[in-house]
């Protein structure tokens, strides 16, 4: 099963959150595409989740990105200015 771990840090009027999971990883060539609305690699996926997350975070003066991805470890990073 996929496990998730979260870390949060508040410093210098910024909130930084890292979300790590132990899934299959995201290939380099898909790492920007996964944020495009309706893009999915899953047969039952809608492609809404990460696009919506990125938009909500942008609306709060923040940024969502992938720090690292390989089989067994993907880290998403959120940075929001306060």
């Amino acid at each position: 099963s996929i496990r998730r771990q979260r870390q949060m840090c508040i410093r210098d009027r910024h909130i930084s959150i890292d979300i790590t999971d132990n899934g299959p990883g995201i290939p380099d060539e898909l790492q920007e595409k996964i944020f495009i609305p309706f893009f999915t690699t899953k047969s039952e996926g809608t492609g809404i989740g990460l696009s919506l997350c990125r938009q909500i975070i942008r609306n709060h003066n923040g940024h969502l990105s992938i720090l690292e991805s390989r089989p067994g470890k993907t880290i998403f990073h959120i940075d929001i200015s306060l």
Side-chain angles (χ1 to χ4, degrees), residues 1 21 25-27 30-31 38-39 41-42 49 55 59 61 77:
S1 69
D21 74 28
I26 303 165
L30 297 181
Q31 289 188 13
F38 307 110
F39 177 83
T41 60
K42 299 177 181 177
Q55 189 59 47
N59 287 344
N61 299 314
H77 178 75

Side-chain angles (χ1 to χ4, degrees), residues 21-61:
D21 74 28
N22 65 342
I26 303 165
D28 290 343
E29 65 273 10
L30 297 181
Q31 289 188 13
E32 281 305 313
K33 291 180 181 179
I34 64 171
F35 296 108
I36 296 171
F38 307 110
F39 177 83
T40 185
T41 60
K42 299 177 181 177
S43 61
E44 299 294 321
T46 62
I48 297 294
L50 288 171
S51 170
L52 182 60
C53 288
R54 183 176 256 185
Q55 189 59 47
I56 290 168
I57 292 165
R58 281 183 177 165
N59 287 344
H60 289 86
N61 299 314

